[in-house]
């Protein structure tokens, strides 16, 4: 039998997706509600969820081209931009 479906999903419109530059089966997706999921496509499920504590729209995501466990998220507006560097070894921002 097939494994049970993964319940992880975005609950708002997706704003950006980005392929990991070091690990071809890893993808990040960001949404308007401040969530960013890291997907493991081999396992067919979310590996972790990163959240903007303000709940603001994550407008962009980008992987560090030299380190497959570092991801930058951009949120806020033009007057108050917020960039966060996430270390996925601990799923925390630096």
């Amino acid at each position: 039998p097939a494994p049970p479906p993964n319940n992880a999903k975005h609950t708002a419109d997706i704003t950006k997706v980005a392929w990991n530059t070091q690990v071809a089966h890893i993808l990040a997706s960001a949404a308007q509600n401040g969530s960013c999921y890291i997907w493991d496509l081999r396992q067919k499920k979310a590996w972790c969820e990163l959240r903007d504590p303000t709940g603001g729209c994550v407008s962009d995501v980008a992987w560090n081209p030299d380190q497959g466990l570092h991801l930058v998220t951009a949120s806020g507006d033009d007057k108050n931009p917020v960039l966060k560097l996430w270390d996925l070894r601990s799923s925390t921002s630096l």
Side-chain angles (χ1 to χ4, degrees):
N6 184 352
N7 292 329
K9 64 180 179 178
H10 282 289
T11 57
D13 289 342
I14 294 172
T15 55
K16 189 74 170 186
V17 295
W19 289 103
N20 186 304
T21 56
Q22 299 292 309
V23 186
H25 64 275
I26 301 294
L27 175 79
S29 61
Q32 287 183 342
N33 66 351
S35 68
C36 180
Y37 280 101
I38 309 303
W39 300 94
D40 182 333
L41 299 182
R42 283 191 183 159
Q43 299 294 320
K44 298 181 182 173
K45 64 180 184 177
W47 181 68
C48 73
E49 179 185 14
L50 309 172
R51 279 224 164 253
D52 182 317
T54 66
C57 175
V58 177
S59 57
D60 206 353
V61 292
W63 292 96
N64 179 335
D66 299 321
Q67 173 52 266
L69 293 171
H70 289 165
L71 180 79
V72 173
T73 59
S75 56
D77 56 36
D78 289 340
K79 292 181 183 179
N80 227 359
V82 177
L83 296 175
K84 286 193 177 189
L85 174 61
W86 297 88
D87 183 344
L88 298 181
R89 293 173 290 194
S90 61
S91 299
T92 58
S93 62
L94 300 174

